[in-house]
Amino acid sequence: MNLKSKIVSGVFWQGFERVGSQGMSLAVSIMLARLLAPKEFGVIALLTVFISLCNVMVDSGLGGALIQKKDADQLDFCSVFYVNIVMGAVGYGVLFLTAPLISAFYKSPGLTLYMRVLALTLFVNAFSVIQRTILNKNMWFYLSFRISWGALIVSGTVGIVMAYCGFKVWALVAQSLTSAFVGCVMLWALVKWRPCWIFDWRRAWKLFQFGWKLLVSGFLDTLYNDIYSVVIGKISSLTDLAYYNRGKAIPALGMGVVNSSVGSVLFPAFSSIQDDRTKMRELAKRGLQNIMFAVIPALTLLFILAKPLVQVVLTEKWLPSVVYLQLCCVTFFFWPFHTMNLQIITACGRSDLFLLLEIIKKVQAALVIFITYRYGVVVMVAAGAAMGLLGVFENAWCNRKLIGYAPWTQLWDILPLLLVAAVVGCGMHWGVRFVASPWCKLIVGGGGFVILYLIGAFILKQFPQDILNLLKFRRIA
């Protein structure tokens, strides 16, 4: 299978995997949102912040280093495996000991036990980092699909049954633990790699010299993505935090699928052609146009139909989350640009540049939060959304020199699609105002938007050729 076929097949399988796993996660969280009061749900939102930060520690950036290294061998994999185990234990120990402090900081005593139980996922995940790295390095995403769906079916069943039985918060905790355990078992069963009793500090250190920059960058990126939850939970109420997280969760589902799927596929793809910058530029342009062809209408549709969607899915008690949903649509619009440009920088071996960019953007974000938090949560989130455009120029400016793909060229490549979505979106926003039922607004507005968008894209000849090739997925896979 050639590189192009691997990329198309990879996006297909990764997309199915992410849609399934994140879709079930969202379904479970929606069920809990219906069972719990917003304030109770806000307590759970804090857990994911600290778990996500420690999960970055488990990988230590070494997984990316193994993918980037062309001649990685058994000694490299074994050395990294044992480092992952140690880091998983360290991460769990840190959360176990600091859980009471975190609970006291947020004045939520019950958070301690939840944190200590859910943090067990760190240690479980540490045993499967190498297997997942091998999947990504070889672009065996069809196996990743099977593993994720196996874990999804089991853990989703556990979570839903416990939610109906009245376990409330523990339903989501059990779902996460079951997903991690089943996923680990299936990875070991399907990926025929086993560790040996060999270890080389020099190999691990050499990989870490590349990977530590990815580690710090990943830590900063995760902290940035969750910093609003940390700040909102402290300066406002847990109810406001719940509204923000619910509003963010809906667009985050789709963009999480796009971001993780495309990122997992593009990094090994760019790494395999890192010596040919012309091919990298062509792949980047085609990839960006394909991604934004789906992202632009999806986020536009979410923006204009935010209120009826919340009414139907989450019920009236969650209506304050509408404004956050709309602002997060603006924020997530820039994510594909960030993902693609950073994958190119990493594939070119410039993890130092990757780290520098992440530090600059996170310092900027911290300043924005510091300046705007006193004006309220909505203003703070809106300012963060506006910062996304600046981040696009910062990331893409580096690739102007690395592969000759400038930021203004990237924006120009997707401008026609953006104009089509804007015109159709404005028309639908005005049209659904005359429809009373939320269900009818979703059906009429959603269906009308999709049809008119596709017609507009076809007329302007903006229908990507690679999208048409999706019909060949089954034969490719």
Side-chain angles (χ1 to χ4, degrees):
M1 187 183 293
N2 59 34
L3 179 61
K4 181 178 178 180
S5 297
K6 283 186 176 182
I7 294 171
V8 175
S9 178
V11 171
F12 170 77
W13 288 112
Q14 281 287 82
F16 263 98
E17 173 201 343
R18 300 300 177 178
V19 167
S21 60
Q22 295 195 33
M24 179 59 74
S25 178
L26 181 63
V28 172
S29 68
I30 288 174
M31 184 174 295
L32 288 173
R34 289 174 173 269
L35 296 172
L36 300 174
K39 182 177 180 179
E40 295 172 321
F41 207 82
V43 174
I44 300 304
L46 289 175
L47 291 174
T48 58
V49 176
F50 302 97
I51 298 294
S52 297
L53 289 172
C54 287
N55 259 323
V56 178
M57 291 175 52
V58 173
D59 179 75
S60 305
L62 298 177
L66 286 173
I67 294 176
Q68 200 275 338
K69 186 177 181 181
K70 291 183 177 181
D71 57 346
D73 57 19
Q74 177 72 352
L75 183 55
D76 291 312
F77 285 110
C78 289
S79 300
V80 171
F81 174 78
Y82 294 117
V83 172
N84 292 149
I85 299 300
V86 172
M87 294 307 296
V90 171
Y92 179 77
V94 168
L95 286 184
F96 186 92
L97 295 174
T98 59
L101 299 177
I102 296 171
S103 297
F105 182 75
Y106 288 103
K107 299 180 181 179
S108 300
L111 198 64
T112 299
L113 182 58
Y114 297 139
M115 180 75 76
R116 287 176 170 175
V117 175
L118 189 58
L120 290 170
T121 58
L122 295 173
F123 199 63
V124 176
N125 289 336
F127 279 90
S128 58
V129 171
I130 294 299
Q131 281 82 356
R132 195 165 295 281
T133 298
I134 292 174
L135 287 182
N136 291 334
K137 188 178 181 69
N138 292 283
M139 303 180 76
W140 295 338
F141 298 114
Y142 63 96
L143 286 181
S144 183
F145 168 79
R146 296 175 187 175
I147 292 165
S148 292
W149 271 86
L152 164 69
I153 293 172
V154 178
S155 64
T157 301
V158 170
I160 292 173
V161 169
M162 290 186 67
Y164 273 115
C165 291
F167 285 93
K168 297 183 178 181
V169 174
W170 288 109
L172 186 57
V173 174
Q175 189 265 344
S176 297
L177 283 171
T178 305
S179 178
F181 179 76
V182 174
C184 181
V185 171
M186 294 190 68
L187 278 165
W188 277 75
L190 295 178
V191 179
K192 305 304 181 182
W193 177 88
R194 297 294 181 267
C196 303
W197 291 106
I198 54 176
F199 184 84
D200 190 329
W201 274 110
R202 291 172 296 180
R203 292 287 189 96
W205 177 249
K206 187 174 181 181
L207 290 167
F208 187 70
Q209 286 179 313
F210 176 86
W212 77 266
K213 305 179 187 73
L214 299 181
L215 167 63
V216 176
S217 299
F219 188 86
L220 290 174
D221 190 55
T222 302
L223 179 61
Y224 171 73
N225 291 334
D226 294 327
I227 191 62
Y228 289 95
S229 296
V230 175
V231 175
I232 294 170
K234 185 60 180 176
I235 69 172
S236 188
S237 65
L238 291 177
T239 300
D240 285 336
L241 174 59
Y243 290 143
Y244 167 73
N245 274 276
R246 284 301 88 207
K248 179 182 177 181
I250 296 175
L253 168 64
M255 291 311 301
V257 172
V258 173
N259 210 46
S260 57
S261 300
V262 173
S264 298
V265 174
L266 286 184
F267 181 39
F270 282 131
S271 295
S272 67
I273 56 174
Q274 59 185 275
D275 298 325
D276 191 332
R277 302 304 164 88
T278 300
K279 285 186 178 180
M280 291 184 73
R281 182 172 63 253
E282 293 173 352
L283 176 59
K285 178 180 179 179
R286 189 170 70 248
L288 181 63
Q289 290 176 325
N290 290 341
I291 296 165
M292 298 308 289
F293 180 80
V295 167
I296 290 174
L299 293 179
T300 303
L301 198 55
L302 275 178
F303 187 94
I304 63 177
L305 297 178
K307 184 176 179 179
L309 181 64
V310 169
Q311 289 175 312
V312 169
V313 175
L314 298 176
T315 70
E316 298 281 341
K317 69 179 179 180
W318 289 96
L319 277 178
S321 65
V322 169
V323 64
Y324 299 117
L325 194 162
Q326 293 174 323
L327 289 174
C328 287
C329 285
V330 178
T331 301
F332 287 122
F333 170 80
F334 300 109
W335 272 34
F337 292 92
H338 298 316
T339 299
M340 186 196 70
N341 283 292
L342 292 176
Q343 296 292 356
I344 293 171
I345 292 170
T346 307
C348 290
R350 295 300 305 273
S351 58
D352 57 332
L353 190 56
F354 187 113
L355 175 60
L356 178 61
L357 285 169
E358 291 301 289
I359 292 175
I360 291 173
K361 289 183 293 183
K362 273 46 178 183
V363 170
Q364 292 170 172
L367 289 174
V368 170
I369 292 173
F370 179 76
I371 294 171
T372 59
Y373 82 91
R374 67 197 70 187
Y375 301 108
V377 177
V378 173
V379 174
M380 184 176 69
V381 175
M387 288 294 294
L389 180 60
L390 178 60
V392 170
F393 276 86
E394 290 170 336
N395 290 335
W397 184 261
C398 297
N399 285 323
R400 172 179 173 270
K401 296 184 178 181
L402 288 177
I403 65 170
Y405 199 23
W408 48 85
T409 305
Q410 295 181 24
L411 293 172
W412 181 260
D413 286 338
I414 59 95
L415 182 60
L417 293 174
L418 188 59
L419 292 176
V420 171
V423 172
V424 176
C426 288
M428 286 296 105
H429 178 69
W430 179 82
V432 296
R433 293 170 58 190
F434 302 99
V435 180
S437 169
W439 277 103
C440 290
K441 286 184 178 181
L442 292 177
I443 295 172
V444 174
F449 180 91
V450 170
I451 293 172
L452 293 176
Y453 174 80
L454 293 176
I455 292 174
F458 182 79
I459 292 174
L460 295 181
K461 298 181 180 180
Q462 294 298 313
F463 217 104
Q465 183 61 40
D466 287 339
I467 299 296
L468 298 176
N469 292 337
L470 290 176
L471 296 174
K472 302 177 182 179
F473 269 158
R474 292 185 177 180
R475 185 167 71 244
I476 292 174

